[in-house]
Amino acid sequence: MSLRKVQIVLWAAVAVALLGYLGLTIKARDGEPVTDATFQPVFALADAEGRTRTVEEFRGQYLLVFFGFTNCPDVCPTTLSEVAQVMDDLGGDAARVQPLFISIDPERDRRLGLAEFTTAFHPSILGLAGTVQETRAAAESFKIFFERNDDAAAPDGYSMSHSPALYLIGPEGNWIKQFTYGTPAAEILADLESRL
Amino acid sequence: MKTLILAFVLLGAAPAAFACESVSVGGITVQQPWSRVSIGTQRPGVLYLTIRNDGPADDALTAVSTPAAETPMLHETVVSDGIASMPHVMQVPVPAGETVELRPGGYHGMLMGLTGPLEEGATFPVTLTFATAGEITIPVQVLSMRAEGPECDDGQ
């Protein structure tokens, strides 16, 4: 093969790789999982006491799952406030719904304190912070996106971008729907009450 | 009936409302400033408020300072393609005749390096710098962790 041909082949390979990468990026950023193809998200992540919690132990309960980070001053408190309001308003049905806060910044969140953050909103919210790999695996299984952005102006020099929606998982572990960021607590409550 | 009960529950749960401060300089009025209680000082606090520009010319909020934090900054939560990020902004434009809100999910002040915990019911001063109007200092009310908006006597 002439050098020229090798060059063409290599550039073609680069083009294919780029297209593939773009495709994956677009898919990951879409953040709107297909509603007809139900799937079963899985996770195995440590809670604030270091015990590994898995999706299996919540069979029979609805899960309200939020991915965030405790250093987040705006989006995360707003959504967790909504979740807290929903849990209060569920009254006697609250035991059938388990809210989960999954840290996408697990190392820093463990250091800052996971439980004190979640309980500041509602005692029922369970905070989970696994290893970086476990967190990545959980996010992929929920088909959500997050990334770390270097930002000299942010605390510790970085901030996190993430899917800010709230995910509803059914009692059989099936993904049901997402509540987009900003969905009022009353709307989430009405949806849950129609299922309980 | 359920709505009525809910209304009473909400009334009972609502903390005492405050007379929200409003300060004007030139055509710029800053009102309903609020923040959330902090957990200690390690995580950044937040600042929300409303700016009204009754003047004939555009203005912009360019800086925020407060003794409550070493590095207060202006940020904007941007949700794009289902991803939330929070870029630093150099300024918040306040066009003539318009009202701009720093509110959850949008522009907000990020109070980094809290000099002390923000305690519910307390107030702290912030000084806002506008490109044209200059400086406006206003006390900010610290609301509960679950507050979602200003809690004012005037029903706002």
Side-chain angles (χ1 to χ4, degrees):
Chain A
M1 207 186 276
S2 74
L3 195 59
R4 174 80 187 144
K5 274 185 181 159
V6 170
Q7 242 177 350
I8 290 168
V9 168
L10 283 175
W11 277 115
V14 167
V16 168
L18 267 179
L19 281 174
Y21 173 76
L22 278 177
L24 282 176
T25 310
I26 289 162
K27 193 165 172 246
R29 279 177 179 271
D30 192 12
E32 186 80 53
V34 272
T35 42
D36 53 352
T38 184
F39 61 99
Q40 306 237 331
V42 291
F43 58 81
L45 301 161
D47 64 16
E49 275 88 50
R51 288 173 306 202
T52 299
R53 313 296 291 262
T54 65
V55 71
E56 284 79 23
E57 69 184 271
F58 300 105
R59 287 285 187 269
Q61 282 181 299
Y62 285 88
L63 291 178
L64 266 181
V65 184
F66 181 72
F67 286 80
F69 62 112
T70 77
N71 229 14
C72 151
D74 186 43
V75 168
C76 307
T78 304
T79 302
L80 291 179
S81 297
E82 302 280 1
V83 170
Q85 192 61 53
V86 168
M87 295 311 291
D88 277 355
D89 294 346
L90 277 170
D93 285 333
R96 299 185 58 196
V97 179
Q98 174 63 56
L100 298 181
F101 172 83
I102 297 181
S103 171
I104 54 163
D105 189 12
E107 285 165 7
R108 182 165 63 176
D109 282 346
R110 269 198 303 272
R111 178 164 52 81
L112 290 174
L114 196 59
E116 64 170 7
F117 180 77
T118 55
T119 55
F121 294 93
H122 202 278
S124 70
I125 301 174
L126 176 64
L128 300 176
T131 64
V132 171
Q133 291 83 350
E134 289 163 349
T135 305
R136 182 65 64 186
E140 280 171 11
S141 102
F142 276 82
K143 307 190 181 186
I144 71 119
F145 172 87
F146 73 90
E147 74 177 357
R148 179 175 157 146
N149 310 117
D150 289 327
D151 177 359
D156 306 323
Y158 70 95
S159 188
M160 306 295 299
S161 300
H162 59 112
S163 305
L166 195 57
Y167 304 95
L168 180 63
I169 308 303
E172 280 84 47
N174 50 308
W175 190 96
I176 296 177
K177 69 182 292 188
Q178 68 172 7
F179 300 102
T180 54
Y181 173 69
T183 303
E187 212 173 292
I188 299 169
L189 178 69
D191 183 286
L192 284 171
E193 283 179 333
S194 73
R195 299 171 193 277
L196 292 170
Chain B
M1 188 59 198
K2 204 172 173 188
T3 315
L4 195 65
I5 292 170
L6 185 65
F8 276 110
V9 168
L10 288 176
L11 271 179
F18 306 100
C20 285
E21 297 279 347
S22 171
V23 177
S24 299
V25 170
I28 296 287
T29 300
V30 177
Q31 54 197 0
Q32 298 171 349
W34 63 285
S35 180
R36 283 197 193 96
V37 65
S38 71
I39 307 169
T41 58
Q42 285 193 293
R43 299 183 181 88
V46 76
L47 169 68
Y48 300 115
L49 45 80
T50 300
I51 305 162
R52 200 176 73 230
N53 184 356
D54 293 320
D58 295 347
D59 205 340
L61 172 62
T62 57
V64 49
S65 67
T66 173
E70 284 161 15
T71 320
M73 300 184 86
L74 294 169
H75 281 258
E76 183 180 18
T77 294
V78 179
V79 182
S80 165
D81 292 336
I83 308 299
S85 59
M86 205 183 65
H88 169 55
V89 292
M90 296 308 290
Q91 59 171 24
V92 178
V94 190
E98 290 192 20
T99 297
V100 174
E101 283 182 279
L102 274 61
R103 59 176 173 77
Y107 286 118
H108 56 274
M110 179 160 163
L111 310 178
M112 295 197 297
L114 289 177
T115 51
L118 302 179
E119 285 169 12
E120 188 171 345
T123 59
F124 62 89
V126 293
T127 300
L128 308 171
T129 305
F130 290 88
T132 307
E135 291 189 350
I136 295 179
T137 298
I138 190 166
V140 178
Q141 198 78 53
V142 180
L143 304 181
S144 76
M145 188 61 104
R146 285 166 59 175
E148 293 176 36
E151 291 160 7
C152 305
D153 282 337
D154 55 13
Q156 289 292 319

